[in-house]
Amino acid sequence: MRNYVYPAQMQTQSMGKLSVRVNSQANLRPIENATVKITRTGDPTNVLEEIQTNSVGRTETIELPAPPLDYSLEPESMQPYSEYTLVISAPGFEDMTVSGAQILPTVTALQSSQLLPIVQPETSELFVIAPHTLYYEYPPKIAEDEIKDVSNFNIVLDRVVVPEYVVVHDGPPSDNSAKNYYVLYRDYIKNVASSEIYATWPEATIQANVLAIMSFTLNRVYTEWYRNKGYSFTITSSTAFDHKWIPERNVFENISVVVDSIFNNYLSRPGVKQPILTQYCDGVRVQCPNWMT
């Protein structure tokens, strides 16, 4: 394994891990012998690694340089993750480029990508991964009641049900140009958690944050909050209204394990059927009294 040292890692060299899974978007079957070229974002001509998928569409797990662990454990001005660009290709499929895949030290990043069969030549997909919410300043959450008044709502569910899918509107509710994505519920929670907390945190901290994300999401599901307002989606990707969800971003293996272990849990209050709309902020750049931080 070659060692690549970037300025952010000069003080203390750390390593993170990456594994890539590639499926066909047409039938979700794994793609064997897909090629993944990895470069540092901002330096696309220098290929650091080139790996291929096996018979189940997965690559080997490789190590990549990442910033020091302390950057993600304490408030820092330095970016706590490295950014890489992945160019994924396979015969008969459109190329896909994922720019800005985030690698944290000591943990494994999982990149799952679905390639489109070629319909016309010279086509490709590009996904640019937005910065992490703890490193970039997104619009703060607009405060809401944690228990919603649904007396005038049309609620179909007679109990809280964990859905198989959620429909994510990739923008503010009023943005009619934003795309809607059908996302597996567990995959949605993993994506949001990987976008809003650092996978290097203690497991108990990750569990608490995942539980808060699930409770918030299930409140939207149970109350059919947006559908009762005339929209055709479950939740948005806007931090002002909901959680940050990023199409095609990598998630982290330890966060994925936590979600799979507690995915059917949520927070509630005695005598209240609906899950709590658990709002939270970082408590450092944004102050939110009486919320989770």
Side-chain angles (χ1 to χ4, degrees), residues 117-130:
I118 290 178
V119 177
Q120 55 185 5
E122 303 301 326
T123 55
S124 62
E125 287 190 291
L126 170 63
F127 292 90
V128 178
I129 307 305

Side-chain angles (χ1 to χ4, degrees), residues 7 25 61 126 140 169 240 268 271:
Q25 194 174 117
T61 300
L126 170 63
H169 184 70
S268 188

Side-chain angles (χ1 to χ4, degrees), residues 179-221:
K179 184 177 178 180
N180 288 346
Y181 291 83
Y182 284 77
V183 184
L184 286 167
Y185 172 76
R186 290 198 212 186
D187 289 347
Y188 169 79
I189 301 298
K190 294 173 185 180
N191 185 304
V192 168
S194 296
S195 301
E196 296 198 340
I197 63 175
Y198 291 135
T200 53
W201 291 357
E203 182 177 355
T205 308
I206 293 174
Q207 289 177 338
N209 280 270
V210 165
L211 187 56
I213 293 167
M214 293 190 302
S215 295
F216 187 107
T217 304
L218 290 176
N219 182 281
R220 293 294 197 227
V221 171

